[in-house]
Amino acid sequence: MDSVTSDARTPLSASADNGLKIVIVGGFGVGKTTMVRSVSEIRPLNTEETMTQAGAAVDDIRAVRGKTATTVAFDFGRITLDARNVLYLFGAPGQERFWFLWDRLFSGTLGAIVLVDTRRIDDSWYAIDRLEHHGTPFVVACNDFGGTAHPPAEVRAALDLEPHVPLLHCDARSRESSKQVLISLVEHISGLAAAPHPEPLQELLP
Amino acid sequence: MSRPGRDDAPDRLYTVTGGRSRTAPDSPFDLVTLVMAESAPAPGMQSEHARILRITEHPTAVVEIAAELRLPVSITKILLTDLHDQGRVSARHPRTAAPSGRPDPDLLEQVLVGLRNL
Ligand SMILES: Nc1nc2c(ncn2[C@@H]2O[C@H](COP(=O)(O)OP(=O)(O)O)[C@@H](O)[C@H]2O)c(=O)[nH]1
Ligand SMILES: [Mg+2]
């Protein structure tokens, strides 16, 4: 299904007063931008953050001038949830240098979607590691690129996923499928908030 | 408005921030803080400041302002801090956590309702 997008900037209503964040992390080409586009009410926009090699003093312009800084680009979209709440979805690269910026950009995030291409499963190891380290709630969504289906138990084992972390199947090109991944994530976060050590979930892969 | 320390160095980032290198350590701006203009652009105002005031006639998140200005988020925050200090913009900061530090259950319910209605 086509998402509702617009080329002009679509302003928020004057009553909007609470911005929320969900981050989609994954390797290059895994479908992050596609998923953002599928559910966003605006055309995905791109922006960047600069940082020094040490990951600190990100906004030190002398470092930028001295070319000791590097830049991480990320894209984002937006979903107006109601009169006050606006959800921003960020598509962010999972590579190592990106995680220096996590706290700076994504502290206070509701949670994360780790988007996985089962043909390149090891691309996701580092991201899962970092999310666990940061204590950020997440779900894992396997994006459907066709090819052989991998049994959930196999994917779970390959990712060394804790039993309570939901493992989903999705098609990032589908608005409905991407929406279901978001809903699963927020339900998971609610479950964690209610009971920090929940029972293992049922498998949600086919 | 002209600001001390500004120069004509070709480096755009250096120029737009007047050569200052950092935001205040307690910069209140989050990526999704919604910013609202409280005044119209004034004649002679630095062009990036004037652009921000036009963009934020409607509530606009910091990250959207950065994308529109094509500037890194950190540089955008410096510009926003200037405008905020002058009372030219107001900020609606995100409310995610309950006092317990965990996400507020009522808020999570609102998010779910909004997503299901998509
Ligand atoms: N078959 C298939 N292709 C997809 C899917 N999601 C994304 N793609 C394609 O994969 C390519 C990379 O996607 P993109 O969203 O740019 O990846 P990103 O680098 O993670 O942002 C694009 O050509 C997409 O059209 C999917 O679910 N199934
Ligand atoms: Mg992309």
Side-chain angles (χ1 to χ4, degrees):
Chain A
M1 198 202 288
D2 278 351
S3 56
V4 184
T5 55
S6 140
D7 278 340
R9 252 177 38 81
T10 317
L12 291 173
S13 105
S15 60
D17 70 353
N18 193 30
L20 300 159
K21 290 178 269 198
I22 286 179
V23 188
I24 304 169
V25 280
F28 179 76
V30 79
K32 300 180 296 292
T33 304
T34 304
M35 182 173 272
V36 170
R37 185 181 298 113
S38 290
V39 288
S40 177
E41 67 199 21
I42 56 170
R43 179 176 45 91
L45 295 169
N46 199 267
T47 190
E48 62 181 42
E49 183 58 300
T50 49
M51 63 178 177
T52 64
Q53 242 108 57
V58 177
D59 46 13
D60 189 328
I61 289 161
R62 284 161 302 197
V64 174
R65 302 184 94 200
K67 305 228 187 302
T68 58
T70 50
T71 293
V72 170
F74 55 96
D75 47 26
F76 66 93
R78 188 179 84 193
I79 299 171
T80 297
L81 294 169
D82 56 42
R84 303 182 64 176
N85 294 304
V86 189
L87 175 62
Y88 287 86
L89 279 184
F90 295 93
Q95 82 259 32
E96 199 158 343
R97 62 184 181 131
F98 158 73
W99 293 93
F100 288 122
L101 283 169
W102 180 268
D103 282 329
R104 190 179 182 87
L105 293 174
F106 299 124
S107 68
T109 193
L110 287 175
I113 295 162
V114 179
L115 204 50
V116 171
D117 176 349
T118 48
R119 299 167 303 179
R120 295 176 294 148
I121 218 159
D122 51 333
D123 275 8
S124 327
W125 287 342
Y126 194 74
I128 289 173
D129 226 52
R130 297 321 297 167
L131 291 170
E132 284 173 349
H133 171 82
H134 285 272
T136 305
F138 64 94
V139 299
V140 174
C142 297
N143 201 6
D144 182 6
F145 285 95
T148 39
H150 297 262
E154 209 175 275
V155 176
R156 209 172 255 291
L159 292 172
D160 196 17
L161 273 194
E162 301 214 20
H164 73 274
V165 175
L167 176 64
L168 314 154
H169 180 91
C170 76
D171 183 336
R173 298 164 300 178
S174 154
R175 178 173 169 85
E176 194 54 36
S177 177
S178 301
K179 173 182 148 178
Q180 284 308 323
V181 174
L182 285 169
I183 289 172
S184 297
L185 172 63
V186 179
E187 286 174 343
H188 175 56
I189 299 164
S190 297
L192 289 177
H197 300 294
E199 295 300 306
L201 290 185
Q202 254 186 295
E203 291 301 349
L204 294 160
L205 280 172
Chain B
M1 183 201 61
S2 85
R3 294 183 298 122
R6 213 173 151 204
D7 66 19
D8 295 318
D11 186 300
R12 182 168 174 234
L13 302 184
Y14 188 85
T15 305
V16 297
T17 59
R20 283 159 309 145
S21 61
R22 285 165 188 275
T23 38
D26 56 350
S27 166
F29 292 99
D30 189 273
L31 215 48
V32 297
T33 294
L34 299 174
V35 181
M36 275 286 272
E38 296 294 335
S39 70
M45 186 178 262
Q46 185 183 341
S47 67
E48 284 81 7
H49 283 159
R51 284 189 66 197
I52 290 173
L53 292 180
R54 279 190 293 270
I55 294 167
T56 58
E57 282 172 19
H58 302 275
T60 308
V62 169
V63 69
E64 291 180 276
I65 298 168
E68 183 94 354
L69 295 177
R70 297 180 191 283
L71 285 173
V73 171
S74 50
I75 306 298
T76 304
K77 286 182 183 174
I78 295 177
L79 296 167
L80 286 168
T81 302
D82 293 341
L83 291 167
H84 193 254
D85 288 351
Q86 298 160 12
R88 293 183 186 275
V89 297
S90 59
R92 301 171 180 178
H93 299 297
R95 304 179 308 270
T96 306
S100 67
R102 291 204 191 139
D104 176 4
D106 292 338
L107 176 64
L108 291 174
E109 191 51 40
Q110 291 163 28
V111 174
L112 275 176
V113 169
L115 288 174
R116 290 189 181 120
N117 286 339
L118 268 191

